[in-house]
Amino acid sequence: MQISKNGKNIGLSSQEGVSIEIIRNEENLAIEVSHDGKTERIERPGEFEIGGVEIVAKELGREVRTGYLNGVFFDIDSVKVIYIQNAADDVYEWVKTLPFVDLLVVSFSENLKDASNKIDPSKVILFGTELDDAGIKKMGVNEVTKAKQFKFKETDFDQTEDENTIAEVLSLN
């Protein structure tokens, strides 16, 4: 699985040739999935399976407007990825219904440590936001790895027995 910055959007691609773009609008997400020469657009909450990729699109937050998306879960190449636009309280209730999360992708830095602790991913990717030195220290990490893309395989997320291990923080820039 590969994750990259695509302008102001996020791109995911699978080893099986499925391409996904998370299109970020101010209030709503749209998901475009390309596979076998076809493109499908997801703009509403629901559960989908396209080209072997499981997708769960959710509307989250206190001020939910029916049909708007601001959270999405992907199971792509056996890597569990969740993207959330904000750390609304119901995000954590939703995450409890998921098997686990390998990779948390966020577009916010406020309350990031709390979100990371509650969701407990192996890695956190910041997108569209930067942590300053104080924010890095507050997260409890020594550094943030920056790149234009990251490639992962399932074994990159092998869980350790140490409950005190914090997520590795990465930044798509």
Side-chain angles (χ1 to χ4, degrees):
M1 195 260 329
Q2 179 176 304
I3 185 166
S4 58
K5 181 177 180 177
N6 185 2
K8 67 175 190 162
N9 300 322
I10 299 169
L12 301 165
S13 55
S14 79
Q15 296 173 354
E16 304 300 320
V18 178
S19 237
I20 300 169
E21 186 168 5
I22 302 172
I23 301 166
R24 301 178 333 134
N25 299 313
E26 284 188 35
E27 297 175 343
N28 195 31
L29 296 176
I31 314 299
E32 284 192 355
V33 184
S34 299
H35 179 64
D36 290 337
K38 295 182 268 180
T39 299
E40 295 185 48
R41 188 173 176 101
I42 300 169
E43 296 180 297
R44 60 181 169 73
E47 296 183 18
F48 309 88
E49 193 276 320
I50 301 170
V53 175
E54 177 187 349
I55 302 168
V56 180
K58 293 291 276 185
E59 55 185 338
L60 304 164
R62 290 184 197 98
E63 298 177 19
V64 171
R65 298 198 304 174
T66 304
Y68 279 67
L69 300 181
N70 56 7
V72 64
F73 169 83
F74 302 96
D75 186 341
I76 181 170
D77 294 340
S78 297
V79 176
K80 313 302 191 256
V81 180
I82 189 169
Y83 172 82
I84 54 175
Q85 297 230 121
N86 58 47
D89 292 337
D90 57 346
V91 167
Y92 310 119
E93 292 304 313
W94 176 44
V95 169
K96 288 178 188 176
T97 68
L98 302 173
F100 57 87
V101 175
D102 293 313
L103 184 61
L104 169 63
V105 183
V106 298
S107 56
F108 60 87
S109 60
E110 188 176 310
N111 300 324
L112 181 56
K113 183 175 183 178
D114 189 45
S116 177
N117 287 340
K118 288 181 179 177
I119 296 172
D120 196 27
S122 295
K123 299 178 188 318
V124 175
I125 292 185
L126 299 172
F127 179 78
T129 188
E130 294 286 330
L131 282 179
D132 57 15
D133 290 340
I136 291 170
K137 193 177 269 187
K138 189 175 178 182
M139 272 296 293
V141 296
N142 295 324
E143 66 180 301
V144 174
T145 304
K146 297 179 180 183
K148 293 192 182 320
Q149 70 178 14
F150 296 99
K151 292 183 181 183
F152 302 107
K153 54 188 177 294
E154 186 178 9
T155 56
D156 291 335
F157 301 98
D158 289 341
Q159 297 293 322
T160 63
E161 296 295 322
D162 184 3
E163 290 182 16
N164 296 321
T165 302
I166 56 175
E168 178 182 6
V169 181
L170 311 168
S171 178
L172 279 173
N173 56 9

